[in-house]
Amino acid sequence: KPGAPVKETKPAAPTAEEKEKAFIQRFIRRVRQRGFLYDERDLYNFHISAKSSRLVILAGRSGTGKSGLVRLYGEALGLTPSQVAFLPVRPSWMDDGDILGYLDRNRMLYFPSDTGLAELLVEASRHPEKMYIVCFDEMNLARAEYYFAQFISVLEKKENPALQLYNPSLEERVYNHSDYPARIPLMDNVLFMGTVNVDESTCHFSDKILDRANVITLSQCHFRDLLKLSPQERKVYKEITAEEYDDFRVKEGMGLNDKELELLDALNDAFTKSGMPYGIGFRVAQQMGCYLENIPEEAGISRGEGLDAQLVQRVFTKLRGSADQLSGLLTLSDKNTAEGLLPAILVRFKALSDFQGSQAVLKRKAGELKLYDYTM
C-alpha cells in the first residue's frame, strides 16, 4: 500500500562454499603480501590436503619457505600464536616421550616435554570450537617411525582417537592429572603438518608414514616475479572456528569411480608382478577419494588433475629401490623417455587424466635409476 513502511530483507547468510572461497582467497592474498612465490595451484593443493587428510608433509628445497607457508595458513585461519605449535625436530628423538613428556612414578607427577605439544593438545581437547595446527619442522631429522609411533596408529582411527600419556589406571594417583590426563582426545580441530628437506643429514620415510600423509613437493617460481608482489600492511583476520572449517570438508563414501579404482588395481598388479613390497592399501585409496571429493569448484583443478596430484603425493612417493628391482616397472629409454609397466598404465588410462605430474616424477626417477642405479 502507498505509504506503508518498507520491510528490510536481511541478506542471505553465506554458504559453506562461499565461506571456503573467501578463506582461500584470504590465504592466497596473505601469501602474496608476505613475499612468498608459490604457484596458486600449490596453495589450493595444500588447502585441499589439509582439510582432507590428518597429516600433510611439505617437501622442497631448503629455504623455500615451507615452515612459513604453514604459519601463513594459520594466520589466514585467524589463529593466535598459542594455537600454532612448531616443533623443531631433534636427531636424538627416539619415542613419543621426547615430544610429549613422561610420568615420574616416584613422585607421581607428569612432566611435559619442552616442545609444548602436550599442553597444546590438552587445550585443543578442551576447546573443540577452535582450530589448532601442529607442525613438525624438518620432520625427517630423526626417525619419524620412532618418535611419531603413537600418532601413526591414532591418526587413522575414525572413532574416539586419543593419545595416551601414561597408564589410565594410574590417573587418580597422578597429582597433576587435571592438567595432564592419561588420555587426550585427538579431534578434527587439530591439523598435523610437517616439513622435510632431503639431504645427507636426514632419514627417509617408511611406508608407515607415507601411507598416512599427503607429501607435497612445492615448486618455486622465478625470482623476477618478486617484482610483481606488492607487500601490504599485515592484517589480523577473524578466526575461523572449527565448525566453519569442518563445513569446508566433504565427507562421503569411497569417492573414487569405477575407472579410477581400476587404475589403482592396475598399479597394484604392477607392483605385485615386479615383486616390490609396497602398494596401494584401502586407507590410501579412501584418502585419495576424499581428496578428489574436496576439490573446491573455484580451484581451477579438474578431477583428472587432482587424481594426478594424488598419485604423485600418495603412490609414487613410495617408489624407491635399485635399477634391478625396478627394471620391470620403470626404465629410461635411449630417447630419454620413461618406459615400463608404470608409464604404460598411465597411457592406458589417459582418459582419466594426462598425468603430467606423474609422468614427470616417473621420468625423474627413471633418470636417477640410470645415473645412480638407485632412486629414493
Side-chain angles (χ1 to χ4, degrees), residues 15-296:
T15 63
E17 291 78 11
E18 291 169 336
K19 288 182 179 179
E20 183 175 21
K21 181 179 180 180
F23 166 72
I24 296 173
Q25 292 306 312
R26 174 200 294 187
F27 174 45
I28 293 172
R29 282 197 307 272
R30 174 50 59 93
V31 171
R32 298 286 181 261
Q33 290 167 3
R34 297 294 295 277
F36 285 83
L37 290 173
Y38 285 124
D39 189 286
E40 200 165 291
R41 282 175 175 262
D42 279 347
L43 301 181
Y44 272 105
N45 185 16
F46 177 59
H47 168 66
I48 299 167
S49 300
K51 70 170 181 169
S52 63
S53 61
R54 294 306 305 268
L55 178 62
V56 179
I57 299 175
L58 296 177
R61 297 174 186 168
S62 178
T64 53
K66 300 181 290 293
S67 303
L69 192 59
V70 175
R71 292 186 191 278
L72 293 173
Y73 194 72
E75 290 179 11
L77 285 170
L79 307 186
T80 64
S82 65
Q83 291 168 265
V84 182
F86 274 83
L87 283 60
V89 173
R90 301 172 186 170
S92 60
W93 286 358
M94 291 298 294
D95 57 42
D96 55 18
D98 291 319
I99 60 175
L100 290 170
Y102 68 96
L103 176 66
D104 185 332
R105 298 190 63 160
N106 292 323
R107 290 182 282 181
M108 294 309 290
L109 284 170
Y110 187 81
F111 288 91
S113 166
D114 58 6
T115 61
L117 179 58
E119 289 91 337
L120 181 136
L121 295 179
V122 169
E123 181 184 347
S125 69
R126 292 172 178 174
H127 296 279
E129 76 283 0
K130 293 185 176 184
M131 291 297 298
Y132 296 82
I133 293 177
V134 175
C135 180
F136 294 88
D137 203 16
E138 298 200 47
M139 191 175 184
N140 57 341
L141 274 180
R143 288 298 301 266
E145 295 80 5
Y146 296 163
Y147 72 82
F148 205 64
Q150 189 176 176
F151 288 85
I152 290 174
S153 60
V154 169
L155 289 180
E156 69 180 18
K157 291 184 178 178
K158 294 294 184 183
E159 295 186 7
N160 304 319
L163 284 172
Q164 185 166 307
L165 299 184
Y166 52 89
N167 192 329
S169 66
L170 301 174
E171 186 168 52
E172 293 303 317
R173 295 165 54 195
V174 176
Y175 293 112
N176 57 347
H177 72 268
S178 59
D179 294 324
Y180 302 102
R183 292 170 60 84
I184 306 175
L186 210 59
M187 296 176 286
D188 287 342
N189 65 330
V190 182
L191 303 178
F192 289 93
M193 300 177 181
T195 68
V196 297
N197 295 316
V198 179
D199 55 36
E200 68 282 354
S201 67
T202 59
C203 305
H204 297 291
F205 290 130
S206 71
D207 290 356
K208 292 179 181 179
I209 299 293
L210 296 175
D211 276 349
R212 292 161 174 81
N214 263 293
V215 182
I216 303 173
T217 300
L218 298 169
S219 55
Q220 184 177 344
C221 297
H222 299 291
F223 289 118
R224 61 176 177 268
D225 293 332
L226 282 168
L227 300 175
K228 301 175 184 178
L229 299 176
S230 54
Q232 299 177 16
E233 184 179 352
R234 187 168 174 173
K235 181 180 179 182
V236 177
Y237 293 111
K238 180 183 176 184
E239 184 176 345
I240 302 288
T241 66
E243 183 179 2
E244 289 172 324
Y245 193 87
D246 198 54
D247 286 340
F248 296 165
R249 297 176 170 126
V250 177
K251 302 174 183 177
E252 294 187 358
M254 188 64 181
L256 296 170
N257 60 39
D258 291 345
K259 203 65 179 177
E260 291 162 347
L261 291 171
E262 189 179 336
L263 165 64
L264 300 190
D265 283 335
L267 291 171
N268 261 351
D269 290 343
F271 290 137
T272 301
K273 185 177 180 180
S274 69
M276 299 308 293
Y278 42 73
I280 306 166
F282 289 111
R283 180 196 308 112
V284 173
Q286 287 178 330
Q287 291 178 357
M288 289 175 68
C290 184
Y291 178 99
L292 297 180
E293 293 295 317
N294 275 276
I295 299 175

Side-chain angles (χ1 to χ4, degrees), residues 358-376:
S358 298
Q359 295 282 15
V361 168
L362 292 181
K363 183 178 179 180
R364 175 177 59 80
K365 286 183 174 288
E368 291 173 354
L369 289 171
K370 186 173 184 178
L371 186 61
Y372 306 114
D373 201 41
Y374 200 87
T375 186
M376 296 182 291

